[in-house]
Amino acid sequence: MDDLLLRSLTPSVLAVVVRRGADFAAAEDAVQDALVEAVRVWPGDTPRDPKGWLVTVAWRRFLDATRADTSRRRREDRLDEEPAPGPAPAVDDTLQLYFLCAHPSLTPSAAVALTLRAVGGLTTRQIARAYLVPEATMAQRISRAKRTVSGVRFDRPGDVSTVLRVLYLVFNEGYSGDVDLAAEAIRLTRQLAAAIDHPEGAGLLALMLLHHARRASRTGPDGSLVPLAEQDRGRWDTGMIAEGVGILQAALARDRLGEFQAQAAVAALHADAPTAEETDWVQIVEWYDELAGLTDSPVVRLNRAVAVGEADGPRAGLAELAALSDSLPRHTAVAAYLHERDGDLATAARLYAEAAHKAPTLAERDHLTRQAARLHAERR
């Protein structure tokens, strides 16, 4: 099959699908699916009209994805606004699909990406942002995953760790406010935690509940971001916090620490503080040390630098930050915050403005822009 032909046809096929009514991101995903199908089918049966074939397949894939997304949203609409505590109902087909997509023939990262795209309803762009990689790289990863499982019998479900990772990323995307998937992720995690004997299932559920308990206070009436230190703690859901803490304590008592339990412990310390000033930052640093040992994640180390800045002073935090790559997302925003805490308002204002240009969401960009404007006003 002529790969050059496929590449040459891609822009025109994409343009046709967009003209038919698909938004650009969805059209890209549909065309990518059509190209994968062409790689599989064309060597044995090359169509007379390659472009027409690709347009037809891509449009069908777009319609299928739209129907699947509509069905998923209907399921979410049937849920209460806040996930109910207590026993979970029987495991449904959605959770089974998560396990099937986490196929043993795939690497964990490929399985997560494929599941997020095929079942979670996220776009390639959203998945790429979650993984901190370019969109083109993620599109290739998903395409390779689809090719790998093409023709494979889905009779060997994937492992629990991969499914937990998928649910965590789905929740994070929903929690960010871009797509409202948080409640669905909690519902499925409840089912999983009830169905398996795995402390990280409980740890993930606790983490989700502790974060979701603060959701109402995370934005102002105008949709602007409200930092944790400035949130109205009276609006936090104390019942959900109590449930999350109880689940976490039971998981930690089993002495099988995992990254979700460690993250939940950090969230619990924030939730336990009556005021921001009473936060136990020293213990939070200790939990970040545990988490860094478990994951060696640069994002964890970035968060740890903030915690060190609170526990030991902003210069200690800046020293930790200096050891990290400035290409990390939100690195510049953290630097701005620590410089402001250290009294260097000019540097902080400059960095806030720089961070605003790099912000991944409009709400975050507006928040950082306001921070820069506030410091400029204070310096006059």
Side-chain angles (χ1 to χ4, degrees), residues 37 80 103 109 154 159 195 202 224 235 246:
E37 186 69 7
D80 292 333
H103 197 271
S109 61
F154 281 89
D159 66 4
S224 59
R235 300 184 66 197

Side-chain angles (χ1 to χ4, degrees), residues 18-334:
V18 170
R19 282 200 301 271
R20 286 188 177 186
D23 66 82
F24 190 79
E28 282 184 311
D29 288 334
V31 172
Q32 190 67 43
D33 286 348
L35 294 176
V36 172
E37 186 69 7
V39 170
R40 189 180 70 84
V41 172
W42 285 13
D45 186 18
T46 304
R48 294 181 181 178
D49 179 8
K51 179 181 175 181
W53 188 96
L54 286 170
V55 168
T56 299
V57 173
W59 184 247
R60 286 174 180 168
R61 292 301 170 89
F62 166 72
L63 293 177
D64 288 343
T66 301
R67 293 188 191 105
D69 185 63
T70 300
S71 297
R72 175 181 56 77
R73 291 183 183 278
R74 285 173 181 166
R75 289 198 305 271
E76 291 172 5
D77 290 341
R78 290 198 296 267
L79 297 172
D80 292 333
E81 184 176 345
E82 297 296 343
V91 177
D92 66 11
D93 292 341
T94 304
L95 192 55
Q96 294 297 333
L97 287 173
Y98 273 73
F99 272 95
L100 291 174
C101 283
H103 197 271
S105 63
L106 297 172
T107 64
S109 61
V112 171
L114 178 61
T115 313
L116 289 171
R117 182 70 189 93
V119 187
L122 274 64
T123 66
T124 302
R125 180 176 292 111
Q126 290 166 333
I127 302 169
R129 189 175 65 210
Y131 268 92
L132 311 180
V133 299
E135 185 176 351
T137 300
M138 183 51 64
Q140 292 173 356
R141 186 178 301 179
I142 294 172
S143 295
R144 285 196 298 269
K146 289 178 179 178
R147 287 197 296 270
T148 299
V149 299
S150 177
V152 171
R153 286 177 58 85
F154 281 89
D155 54 1
R156 292 187 298 146
D159 66 4
V160 172
S161 297
T162 300
V163 175
L164 289 171
R165 175 65 52 188
V166 175
L167 289 168
Y168 175 60
L169 291 174
V170 170
F171 175 80
N172 279 344
E173 191 62 43
Y175 191 62
S176 73
D178 189 20
V179 181
D180 190 7
L181 297 171
E184 173 72 351
I186 291 175
R187 182 182 74 87
L188 293 173
T189 305
R190 278 194 191 283
Q191 293 182 356
L192 186 59
I196 63 170
D197 181 25
H198 196 300
E200 277 292 78
L204 178 58
L205 178 57
L207 176 63
M208 289 180 175
L209 292 172
L210 289 164
H211 279 313
H212 207 63
R214 303 198 305 258
R215 183 164 188 169
S217 64
R218 292 182 69 246
T219 56
D222 60 353
S224 59
L225 290 181
V226 180
L228 177 60
E230 300 173 18
Q231 289 176 13
D232 179 359
R233 298 182 180 225
R235 300 184 66 197
W236 291 0
D237 187 327
T238 55
M240 194 176 294
I241 290 172
E243 184 189 6
V245 169
I247 292 170
L248 172 63
Q249 289 174 338
L252 291 175
R254 301 179 64 179
D255 198 23
R256 291 169 56 191
L257 184 65
E259 62 175 295
F260 294 129
Q261 295 171 66
Q263 288 188 61
V266 171
L269 287 166
H270 283 298
D272 189 53
T275 66
E277 293 73 22
E278 295 174 86
T279 303
D280 189 345
W281 286 106
V282 172
Q283 196 172 166
I284 287 176
V285 171
E286 292 173 357
W287 275 111
Y288 273 127
D289 288 337
E290 294 279 1
L291 192 53
L294 290 166
T295 67
D296 195 30
S297 163
V299 175
V300 168
R301 297 189 182 280
L302 183 68
N303 291 333
R304 182 183 180 278
V306 176
V308 168
E310 299 288 355
D312 300 328
R315 294 193 181 183
L318 286 167
E320 296 288 335
L321 191 64
L324 302 174
S325 170
D326 60 7
S327 64
L328 276 172
R330 299 182 174 87
H331 183 285
T332 307
V334 170

